[in-house]
Structures are given as C-alpha cells and as structure tokens.
Amino acid sequence: QVQLVESGGGSVQAGGSLRLSCAASGFTSRNYCMGWFRQAPGKEREAVASKYAGSINTWYAGSVKGRFTMSLDNAKNTLHLQMNDLKPEDTGMYYCAADVTALTCLNRFSDGYTYRGQGTQVTVSS
C-alpha cells in the first residue's frame, strides 16, 4: 500500500523560507512521476514541481522557478520542496503526489494522479 505523508508546512512572513517533506512508503514503480501541487481556496490546482523517471531536469512552474527547489532523497524515500523568498501568493495547501506513469507529470497533474498525501498548509503573510 502506497502512502505519502507530508510535513513542514507553517506560517511565515513574505521573504521567508520553508522546507516541505514527503515521506513515501510502498512506492516501488520504476516508471514514476513525483511532485508537488498546491491549491488555494477558490483557485484551481496548480502544479508546482515535478520529475519523472528518465527525465534529466525537474520541471517548475514559472511562478516558483528560481525560488523553489525539489529534491529526492532516494535513501530515505523522501521528496523535499525547499521554498525560499516566499510570497503571499504562495499561500495554499501543498500536496505531494505520485503516479506510475510519466504522463501524470507531463500533464502537470491536471488529469489527476494515483497517489496523494494529506497535504500541508503553507501561509505567507505580507
């Protein structure tokens, strides 16, 4: 059984930093897609960062490029999202998501995903 458990959310002032973590268990697919998306009240889901097996680069949304960095600790099966220079518009519930097909990443989670964590709230005040 696949489980994704996020941690690391919180409240910070604009310009601050947070590091989100997603501990994955039971996920052994070689054809993986893993990443993060966020959702704010009244807004659509927005993919933030993702990477699929076989890709060289990590994809980032334009709104976070240069400020967010996603990394995968294979030894600990943990996905991280380092978020720097946070802005009020970064506020939202952040979810770690995974799938067994690269297509999910290529579609930026817009067509859904197979696995998702419970989410962690990020609140950035101005």
Side-chain angles (χ1 to χ4, degrees), residues 58-110:
T58 298
W59 172 86
Y60 296 97
S63 58
V64 307
K65 192 174 292 185
R67 300 187 297 122
F68 290 13
T69 302
M70 188 176 81
S71 60
L72 178 61
D73 184 337
N74 286 303
K76 296 182 179 180
N77 290 331
T78 301
L79 188 69
H80 299 287
L81 185 68
Q82 177 67 42
M83 306 185 295
N84 298 327
D85 189 23
L86 283 161
K87 303 177 180 181
E89 51 264 42
D90 293 319
T91 294
M93 187 70 80
Y94 282 68
Y95 298 92
C96 169
D99 210 323
V100 296
T101 171
L103 190 60
T104 299
C105 278
L106 295 172
N107 288 336
R108 314 301 182 219
F109 304 108
S110 62

Side-chain angles (χ1 to χ4, degrees), residues 1-4 26-27 29 31-35 37 45 96-105 108-117:
Q1 182 180 358
V2 175
Q3 281 192 320
L4 303 176
F27 191 76
S29 174
N31 297 318
Y32 68 84
C33 157
M34 295 192 75
F37 67 86
R45 180 171 59 211
C96 169
D99 210 323
V100 296
T101 171
L103 190 60
T104 299
C105 278
R108 314 301 182 219
F109 304 108
S110 62
D111 290 339
Y113 41 81
T114 300
Y115 308 106
R116 190 205 77 180

Side-chain angles (χ1 to χ4, degrees), residues 6-19:
E6 300 101 331
S7 61
S11 298
V12 295
Q13 290 190 329
S17 298
L18 285 172
R19 189 190 194 210

